[in-house]
Amino acid sequence: MKRIWAALWLILLAAGLVGVYERLAQGHRVAGYTSNVPWGLWVALYMSLMGLSAGAFLLSNLAYVFNVKALRRVGRLGLLTALVSLIAALFAIWFDLGHMARFWKVFLRPNFASPMAWMVWLYTAYFVTLAGELWYAIRADLVRAADGDGIQARVARRLTFGNRDLTQQAMERDAHRVRLLGTIGVPLAIAFNAGSGVLFAVVEARPYWNSAVLPILFLVSALTTGGALLTFLVAFLTRDKGGETHRQTVAFLGRLTLGFLVLDLLLQVSELLVGLNTTVPGHGDAVRWMLAGPGWWSFWLVTVLAGAVVPIVMLTRRGASVSQMGTAGLLIAVSFVAVRLNIVVPGLVVPPLAGLPAAYVEPRLAFHYAPSAMEWLVALFIVIVGVGLFHLGRNVLPVAGENRREA
Amino acid sequence: MTALREARGGAGAVGTEAVGAASGNGVTSRRDLLRKAGVALAAVAVAEILETSEALSVVHAEALPGGSSAGAKPAVSVPAAPLASPGSEWRSNVLRMQDELAAALKKPLAERRWGMVIDRRKCVGCMSCTVACKAENGLPPGVVYRPVIEEEMGTYPAVGRRFTPRPCMQCENPPCVPVCPVHATYRQPDGVVVIDYEQCIGCRYCITACPYGARGFDFGEYYTTRTPEVQPYELSPSHEYGKKWVRKGERSPVGNARKCQFCLHRLNAGMLPACVTTCIGGATYFGDLKLAGSLVSEMIGQESASRLRDELGTRPAVYYLG
Ligand code: SF4
Ligand code: SF4
């Protein structure tokens, strides 16, 4: 079984690499976005991964900072998920830049009037906090794992950075630092996630984005997807599967996810209803495009069916099995890319001036968008690298299952 | 594509043969005869052209003093277009705008406010400005600084069309500027919103923020990519912002946001923007809105002057009449 997974992973990685090669060799020439719909799949993927990261992080810190006992077993796995999602998200947005080699300019000459600059600074701070928190959360186990010759032991030795202190005092200090970093990280995660909502909401040129609900929606979506992904990971990938505690943890995560999902849907419906009934008809064009435009299926089939109806049924069934709950989680986490895509694209396909689409007609000025093969492949690459990093982290770092100290 | 290549190859071969024949050893071949005949024909043609152009210049000269081409023979009435006559309103307007441009350039940057007035009643929708701008700024597929929006109003037979050329509005409160994460786009003291191609990271946030759709992204494409060769005109440098930009590989401005900058490079050399000088309807006016008595400042005082989406508070420097 392991071999099959590894082979599949390698095949998908190879396919993804084809996309990356195309992207690097051809630049944006093989992309599906246009001058008029300048953002697409990667921006949506970036936001989804950012949401996953923040969501997983916030839920982990329910255990560390807010002492929610039911989530103790999730803590480290959640932190690892958050870290990996964040790295993948950064890849997604990096590939999207017109000049990839200039990303550092956001650090050296930031314009703090721009929500985008704020985002970058916030998630950089978040990155550092998160990495630190994860380190303190696993340091003691790293020290324990450092004896021996295996690859795990060698990595563990490296990662202790020479701090091998296992006294009670040192462990207490670790726990304290975890809590401290978590306390710093929670507002950071909230800020940069709501911040990505702000990034869209401030653009008045796009009435569909210009809504104060958006930052809140982004936050709720983060918690929904973060919870969903953790439900899946805990259901299928913790080492002490099968026991009653395991079942309870998954059920708790499932319920949490369900709650966030319902709240998320409420906010989405609110946006939809307002959009459909605007008294200035043009302001509802984006919503109508989403419901009945060429990408209708991404809303009805992916978001409504696969992302809401099916998982809600699975999660609310009495006596739902652990794997059912886990599958529901995966469905929600994956299908949310469509939710993000349906924030980005409908806002852009509506021309800011009537008559503009017909004024000068050529493919790169089109007011519609479908991701190109290269974009799909690069997206695949990002996800596959994320999966690989997660797998590596889970196997090399003491994050899953052996939560002795916390349990 | 193959057909084209063959055609080119064929032409090349014919050329070589012809040269071979010409440099031959004096044997008069049929080809030679043909060639001589060709030269003779060409001579006749040149003579005819010369005659015609003489006639043209006569008519032209005749037309000048009167400022009217009424007396011109129908066959040669084409060159006597109103544009060329000194009495024409447009010609004097261009001369006046040029003088005003020179005067404005003598003032410090911060005391100029470049502005444009577009008279929609005069625009005929020919899109010469669009094309001239494409050529002037070396614009690739996906980037058009000045499209002309067409609208049809009324029902037949009472039907009218209105044309709205849409350059960048050079907003006084430009929504595209604050969103840029790296200060790559900003408003100059003379009111022109510029992009520093060397700083722009190509995030495209500004493109989404412009309420006029006035920004585009340079994907690095050429119009002649799928032809036998990328034509040299697509590789020759453009002079935006007074620098030389060769669009090659991923070098800027490829990968950057791009927009109309009122042809700053031409302005600074004392020339009007390309769209102004090529406008066949004489519908686009340009100048310093802060220069007392300038043509544009007079025009925006008219009752019919308006700005696009003025309710947004962006305060464009482009005004429309009609
Ligand atoms: S028209 Fe658009 S690109 Fe031009 S200054 Fe205004 S907001 Fe910026
Ligand atoms: S595309 Fe360039 S100019 Fe526009 S916001 Fe991004 S960095 Fe700034």
Side-chain angles (χ1 to χ4, degrees):
Chain A
M1 195 62 190
K2 258 192 178 166
R3 285 238 177 107
I4 296 176
W5 283 120
L8 186 66
W9 186 83
L10 279 174
I11 291 170
L12 293 179
L13 180 72
L17 279 172
V18 173
V20 171
Y21 171 77
E22 280 275 286
R23 165 66 185 85
L24 297 180
Q26 303 265 7
H28 294 256
R29 292 168 193 88
V30 277
Y33 35 82
T34 70
S35 272
N36 286 315
V37 187
W39 287 345
L41 181 64
W42 296 338
V43 173
L45 183 65
Y46 158 74
M47 291 191 303
S48 305
L49 290 165
M50 279 295 182
L52 283 180
S53 179
F57 180 81
L58 290 173
L59 292 178
S60 303
N61 279 302
L62 281 184
Y64 291 126
V65 181
F66 300 101
N67 241 331
V68 175
K69 294 209 171 63
L71 286 176
R72 283 210 175 149
R73 298 156 58 86
V74 178
R76 302 160 173 203
L77 195 73
L79 291 182
L80 177 67
T81 310
L83 189 64
V84 168
S85 311
L86 179 65
I87 293 171
L90 294 179
F91 263 111
I93 207 60
W94 190 46
F95 280 119
D96 194 69
L97 289 186
H99 282 273
M100 291 171 76
R102 294 184 188 166
F103 76 92
W104 52 268
K105 287 188 192 277
V106 191
F107 296 106
L108 285 201
R109 38 179 299 149
N111 170 17
F112 284 118
S114 167
M116 195 180 277
W118 272 103
M119 286 262 304
V120 176
W121 279 64
L122 283 171
Y123 62 61
T124 305
Y126 166 72
F127 193 112
V128 175
T129 316
L130 168 59
E133 186 178 349
L134 180 60
W135 189 75
Y136 279 114
I138 61 172
R139 192 194 65 86
D141 283 336
L142 281 174
V143 175
R144 286 186 201 112
D147 298 325
D149 307 314
I151 168 104
Q152 210 165 344
R154 257 182 291 153
V155 172
R157 267 203 296 280
R158 273 283 156 77
L159 286 179
T160 55
F161 298 110
N163 186 345
R164 303 273 190 103
D165 196 348
L166 276 182
T167 57
Q168 188 64 22
Q169 211 182 0
M171 310 254 280
E172 268 164 25
R173 202 180 48 222
D174 283 355
H176 175 72
R177 297 225 167 123
V178 167
R179 223 171 306 127
L180 178 71
L181 288 171
T183 314
I184 299 171
V186 166
L188 282 177
I190 293 177
F192 86 73
N193 227 269
S196 44
V198 172
L199 191 149
F200 289 91
V202 294
V203 179
E204 289 94 324
R206 315 284 167 176
Y208 178 61
W209 292 350
N210 187 211
S211 148
V213 172
L214 221 53
I216 314 288
L217 181 62
F218 269 57
L219 203 55
V220 177
S221 299
L223 290 164
T224 312
T225 54
L229 187 65
L230 284 182
T231 312
F232 165 72
L233 294 175
V234 173
F236 291 105
L237 294 177
T238 36
R239 297 222 166 87
D240 49 357
K241 277 187 293 198
E244 183 53 26
T245 5
H246 178 238
R247 202 199 130 69
Q248 276 173 5
T249 310
V250 175
F252 182 78
L253 277 170
R255 272 200 304 280
L256 213 56
T257 305
L258 186 65
F260 286 132
L261 178 62
V262 169
L263 186 57
D264 196 285
L265 291 173
L266 192 70
L267 294 174
Q268 286 196 52
V269 167
S270 162
E271 286 273 22
L272 274 185
L273 287 180
V274 172
L276 278 179
N277 295 293
T278 46
T279 48
V280 177
H283 286 188
D285 285 351
V287 173
R288 277 185 287 276
W289 186 91
M290 176 173 85
L291 298 183
W296 63 270
W297 56 271
S298 69
F299 179 77
W300 293 108
L301 301 185
V302 183
T303 298
V304 176
L305 192 65
V309 176
V310 175
I312 287 178
V313 170
M314 288 168 90
L315 287 173
T316 48
R317 263 191 38 187
R318 214 172 314 145
S321 69
V322 165
S323 52
Q324 267 173 359
M325 291 187 276
T327 311
L330 184 66
L331 269 179
I332 296 172
V334 172
S335 68
F336 252 70
V337 178
V339 175
R340 309 294 192 164
L341 205 54
N342 272 328
I343 287 172
V344 178
V345 179
L348 294 166
V349 290
V350 178
L353 290 180
L356 212 48
Y360 199 102
V361 181
E362 59 184 22
R364 282 288 180 220
L365 287 170
F367 278 87
H368 62 72
Y369 168 72
S372 69
M374 181 275 287
E375 283 175 83
W376 282 115
L377 290 176
V378 169
L380 176 70
F381 172 80
I382 291 161
V383 173
I384 271 304
V385 166
V387 170
L389 280 178
F390 180 82
H391 182 74
L392 192 73
R394 202 174 73 94
N395 280 301
V396 176
L397 304 176
V399 287
E402 56 279 341
N403 294 307
R404 264 166 283 155
R405 197 155 45 93
E406 292 143 287
Chain B
M1 196 168 113
T2 333
L4 262 175
R5 235 192 238 133
E6 269 166 20
R8 282 162 46 85
V14 171
T16 332
E17 258 183 71
V19 170
S23 59
N25 43 19
V27 183
T28 311
S29 63
R30 222 173 84 204
R31 196 176 282 122
D32 243 5
L33 258 180
L34 277 176
R35 199 161 54 89
K36 280 178 189 156
V39 170
L41 272 176
V44 174
V46 167
E48 254 177 74
I49 289 169
L50 282 178
E51 230 175 283
T52 324
S53 61
E54 247 173 28
L56 288 182
S57 58
V58 170
V59 172
H60 196 54
E62 270 172 7
L64 287 182
S68 142
S69 57
K73 282 167 256 164
V76 287
S77 63
V78 179
L83 278 190
S85 60
S88 91
E89 185 197 340
W90 180 242
R91 181 174 167 152
S92 62
N93 279 341
V94 168
L95 292 177
R96 179 174 167 191
M97 287 190 288
Q98 249 157 16
D99 289 346
E100 288 170 0
L101 182 67
L105 282 174
K106 294 205 182 90
K107 299 197 295 178
L109 200 64
E111 274 154 47
R112 299 172 214 154
R113 172 86 166 107
W114 296 123
M116 188 176 276
V117 180
I118 298 172
D119 191 341
R120 288 196 272 204
R121 294 161 307 189
K122 287 187 176 170
C123 176
V124 297
C126 69
M127 312 207 183
S128 300
C129 56
T130 314
V131 175
C133 171
K134 274 267 193 189
E136 175 67 36
N137 293 297
L139 302 185
V143 183
V144 53
Y145 288 171
R146 192 180 154 109
V148 179
I149 296 171
E150 301 183 24
E151 287 164 285
E152 208 167 282
M153 282 166 226
T155 38
Y156 182 82
V159 70
R161 300 188 82 198
R162 186 170 74 161
F163 304 102
T164 306
R166 196 250 38 220
C168 164
M169 303 290 134
Q170 316 296 351
C171 306
E172 198 177 314
N173 302 317
C176 58
V177 165
V179 298
C180 176
V182 294
H183 292 291
T185 185
Y186 54 92
R187 188 168 174 268
Q188 288 198 148
D190 60 4
V192 179
V193 175
V194 298
I195 301 174
D196 185 338
Y197 286 155
E198 305 286 2
Q199 300 302 334
C200 169
I201 60 173
C203 69
R204 313 192 285 288
Y205 195 6
C206 56
I207 304 181
T208 71
C210 169
Y212 302 94
R215 285 176 173 241
F217 182 64
D218 193 327
F219 285 82
E221 292 174 325
Y222 306 111
Y223 282 103
T224 51
T225 296
R226 285 195 190 86
T227 65
E229 66 177 332
V230 172
Q231 291 302 300
Y233 69 82
E234 294 208 73
L235 296 169
S236 63
S238 80
H239 297 88
E240 283 180 278
Y241 307 113
K243 290 187 195 152
K244 265 194 178 175
W245 305 99
V246 180
R247 294 182 64 259
K248 226 174 176 184
E250 303 303 315
R251 253 183 292 164
S252 284
V254 172
N256 291 135
R258 299 186 68 175
K259 66 181 279 296
C260 154
Q261 13 61 26
F262 274 174
C263 279
L264 267 180
H265 55 289
R266 286 173 62 99
L267 297 184
N268 290 333
M271 291 186 279
L272 290 165
C275 53
V276 177
T277 54
T278 48
C279 176
I280 68 155
T284 301
Y285 302 85
F286 187 85
D288 181 1
L289 297 172
K290 276 193 186 163
L291 188 73
S294 70
L295 183 59
V296 281
S297 66
E298 275 174 14
M299 297 186 95
I300 63 171
Q302 297 184 18
E303 307 150 34
S304 74
S306 65
R307 300 188 282 198
L308 289 189
R309 306 192 71 180
D310 215 4
E311 74 282 3
L312 297 176
T314 46
R315 302 180 58 82
V318 175
Y319 291 77
Y320 291 87
L321 302 179

